[in-house]
Amino acid sequence: MQPRRRAPYNPRAMDPDEVQADRESGPPAVTRRVVTTEAWTGEGRVRTEPLQETGPLELEGFLPGERVEVELEATPDGGVRRRGRRAWRLASARLLESSADRVEPGCPVFGLCGGCALQHASYAAQLAWKRERVQAALARAGLPAERVEPVLGAARSYAYRNKMEFTFSPEGRPGLHRRGRWREVLPLERCPIALHPIQEALGAVARWAEAERLPGYDKEANRGFLRHLLLRASEAGGEWMAVLATTPPATLEGGEERWRGALERLGERLAAVEGFASLQWVEDAEPGDALHFARAPRVVRGAATIEERLGGLRFRLGPETFFQTHTAQAERLLETALALAAPAAGERVLDLYAGVGTFTLPLARAVGPAGEAVGVEVVEASVEAGRAAARENGLGNARWVAAKVRSFLAGLSGERPWSTVLGAPPLPEGWRPGLVLLDPPRSGAGRKVMERIAALRPRRILYVSCNPEALAEDLALLVPRGWELAVARPVDLFPQTPHVETVALLHPAAGSGSR
């Protein structure tokens, strides 16, 4: 059996152009070895048994327990030595014996695209490995791995993403970056993990760009019109929005009239696709390959937001609003968080990195009018969306503080006066939460935030994380401060990828003195 992809599986394998250049300087020595893959690595690769020439290899596109023939090439000059051996590189890898967990990938460009990395593994195998990944991360940090429960899997492991960002190639075709070559864009007209409206919208934009013959942005030359395409869809109402990022038309040849006319025709084309709600345009003059919102998006056609529902609550989502990418699994995540946190009527709750309030609002509803839920979020657009959602859902006991979490906690814990942090106290003096929930970025919260949370001495802490390694590092900071892990419950919000969300509940350790 042969894997579908033909590219080398080792992420450290040389670029084909470099290999060709080496070959022109003289044929390298080649050797072949048959190896057995042993275990997953944190990024969804597999590690092999050690080889005499290289030690263990990390291979992409294979599963644990498979037999693989690898071809190794020595460095061209033959004189480089590493630990007493010649230096070798992986040239190719071929599957000889497959695992029972191997399945046919659901995407025709699997292995070429830089996105999903686990489509060749059965969903059951993906979930088992994700639990092992969380357990391993906690164990390395000295935390009890046996408290990690089985992963809560998704009923739908394809056609689930409610938001995706695409990049335009210099030829003006939207797509995703090619694996291992971030300067190249792999053109696409569909992506199997995206919700169906997003797939339909992507195809419509691709056909529009081709018909208009619009140039894409060339990063190296710093010129071109089309840069990025953001697509976001709502599962609740079936509506979707498109946000097109382009170079400012005033800086391009042909004048603004040509480019604005093309945008109007895009609006007409997209309006014919079922569920269309919004086309917005943002001008991006920054060099590089990231989507910037330095200028506010302008509505070309339709509304400024779309509506989504979570936990029976309504949320308005704009281009910059953070929202979990798998709505159905976000419901399970919310149910898990509420079940573990067990908010009590009349309790004060602090929600850090609150976004639009996907946890803040349900917590406010759970604690009732006698209680209070405070969300802390640095992105102003999300704060405004959260406040609007609180009004729309009739939750007057939910409030927001627009601030960096680290600075806010410095004031709340008394480490620094409010006047030096936010200018004025956002909460009454002596305000303390019974529950602290945090859902930080992928990099984690960090030492200062965790120390300041511990200083508040809440009755429990609920940590929601999309990165097991960062989660483990942050939780380990709480142990010497009198906290212990009660349970960790993973939820799979990212099927077909190595990522996994985890909800961890911590209690004060016996005899710690915490309330």
Side-chain angles (χ1 to χ4, degrees), residues 297-364:
R298 284 177 276 177
V299 176
V300 177
R301 191 178 184 119
T305 61
I306 60 175
E307 181 180 298
E308 185 60 286
R309 289 180 178 268
L310 186 67
L313 300 169
R314 301 168 64 188
F315 295 88
R316 303 300 305 182
L317 307 181
E320 299 179 76
T321 308
F322 172 79
F323 198 80
Q324 295 289 357
T325 58
H326 194 315
T327 307
Q329 283 297 91
E331 288 275 3
R332 299 194 74 183
L333 181 69
L334 176 58
E335 292 169 0
T336 298
L338 291 176
L340 293 179
E347 190 171 28
R348 290 173 173 173
V349 177
L350 182 61
D351 181 12
L352 305 175
Y353 311 96
V356 298
T358 52
F359 292 114
T360 316
L361 298 186
L363 287 168

Side-chain angles (χ1 to χ4, degrees), residues 264 266-269 271 276-280 298-303:
E264 291 174 3
L266 174 61
E268 295 171 0
R269 187 182 288 260
F276 170 78
S278 173
L279 170 61
Q280 300 183 46
R298 284 177 276 177
V299 176
V300 177
R301 191 178 184 119

Side-chain angles (χ1 to χ4, degrees), residues 376-394:
V376 181
E377 171 58 48
V378 70
V379 178
E380 289 282 355
S382 293
V383 170
E384 290 306 313
R387 288 172 175 160
R391 292 192 298 269
E392 189 170 356
N393 288 281

Side-chain angles (χ1 to χ4, degrees), residues 143-474:
L143 297 164
E146 68 275 7
R147 295 181 187 170
V148 179
E149 297 181 347
V151 182
L152 297 176
R156 191 172 67 241
S157 61
Y158 280 97
Y160 69 85
R161 281 197 68 114
N162 57 35
K163 178 187 175 185
M164 290 197 70
E165 293 181 14
F166 301 93
T167 301
F168 284 92
S169 70
E171 296 75 33
R173 302 178 67 187
L176 297 170
H177 288 285
R178 185 179 289 269
R179 182 181 296 277
R181 302 187 198 175
W182 299 106
R183 295 184 179 181
E184 292 187 39
V185 174
L186 186 67
L188 299 172
E189 290 199 19
R190 61 181 296 267
C191 176
I193 67 166
L195 288 173
H196 292 298
I198 290 179
Q199 299 189 43
E200 293 296 322
L202 175 62
V205 172
R207 292 187 291 274
W208 163 80
E210 183 177 10
E212 296 284 345
R213 297 184 178 181
L214 297 175
Y217 178 66
D218 186 324
K219 295 180 284 295
E220 296 190 15
N222 192 25
R223 64 168 179 259
F225 181 59
L226 301 174
R227 287 179 172 242
H228 298 279
L229 173 67
L230 183 153
L231 296 172
R232 162 167 260 165
S234 161
E235 289 217 61
E239 56 183 0
W240 57 271
M241 70 163 50
V243 182
L244 186 71
T246 75
T247 299
T251 66
L252 301 172
E253 296 179 4
E256 292 197 27
E257 185 175 342
R258 175 196 173 191
W259 310 105
R260 291 182 186 274
L263 288 174
E264 291 174 3
R265 288 188 290 276
L266 174 61
E268 295 171 0
R269 187 182 288 260
L270 294 183
V273 180
E274 183 178 359
F276 170 78
S278 173
L279 170 61
Q280 300 183 46
W281 171 44
V282 60
E283 297 181 58
D284 187 355
E286 296 293 325
D289 192 32
L291 175 58
H292 300 97
F293 285 100
R295 303 184 186 185
R298 284 177 276 177
V299 176
V300 177
R301 191 178 184 119
T305 61
I306 60 175
E307 181 180 298
E308 185 60 286
R309 289 180 178 268
L310 186 67
L313 300 169
R314 301 168 64 188
F315 295 88
R316 303 300 305 182
L317 307 181
E320 299 179 76
T321 308
F322 172 79
F323 198 80
Q324 295 289 357
T325 58
H326 194 315
T327 307
Q329 283 297 91
E331 288 275 3
R332 299 194 74 183
L333 181 69
L334 176 58
E335 292 169 0
T336 298
L338 291 176
L340 293 179
E347 190 171 28
R348 290 173 173 173
V349 177
L350 182 61
D351 181 12
L352 305 175
Y353 311 96
V356 298
T358 52
F359 292 114
T360 316
L361 298 186
L363 287 168
R365 183 177 58 187
V367 299
E372 184 178 32
V374 176
V376 181
E377 171 58 48
V378 70
V379 178
E380 289 282 355
S382 293
V383 170
E384 290 306 313
R387 288 172 175 160
R391 292 192 298 269
E392 189 170 356
N393 288 281
L395 293 169
N397 64 332
R399 60 188 298 184
W400 263 257
V401 178
K404 291 183 178 179
V405 167
R406 182 171 168 176
S407 299
F408 170 83
L409 289 176
L412 187 62
S413 64
E415 183 179 329
R416 292 170 57 188
W418 282 119
S419 59
T420 66
V421 178
L422 295 178
L427 296 172
E429 184 178 354
W431 192 96
R432 288 291 183 271
L435 166 68
V436 173
L437 184 149
L438 66 157
D439 184 7
R442 180 170 176 77
S443 58
R447 177 176 295 277
K448 283 293 184 182
V449 167
M450 301 309 294
E451 289 176 347
R452 288 166 180 167
I453 289 174
L456 294 177
R457 299 178 63 193
R459 285 187 286 273
R460 58 212 183 282
I461 298 171
L462 197 72
Y463 192 129
V464 182
S465 171
C466 64
N467 184 343
E469 289 73 29
L471 169 70
E473 290 178 9
D474 282 347

Side-chain angles (χ1 to χ4, degrees), residues 9-72:
Y9 290 101
N10 188 340
R12 293 189 295 271
M14 289 186 66
D15 183 279
D17 294 336
E18 296 179 49
V19 173
Q20 180 62 34
D22 286 345
R23 283 174 176 159
E24 289 172 358
S25 65
V30 175
T31 186
R32 290 181 176 84
R33 296 285 183 267
V34 175
V35 296
T36 300
T37 54
E38 294 185 338
W40 291 103
T41 69
E43 293 302 317
R45 306 182 187 109
V46 289
R47 185 171 54 251
T48 72
E49 59 184 312
L51 292 177
Q52 180 179 359
E53 293 86 355
T54 63
L57 296 172
E58 285 190 8
L59 305 179
E60 293 179 341
F62 295 97
L63 303 176
E66 293 188 325
R67 298 280 286 170
V68 180
E69 181 185 70
V70 296
E71 182 179 276
L72 305 173

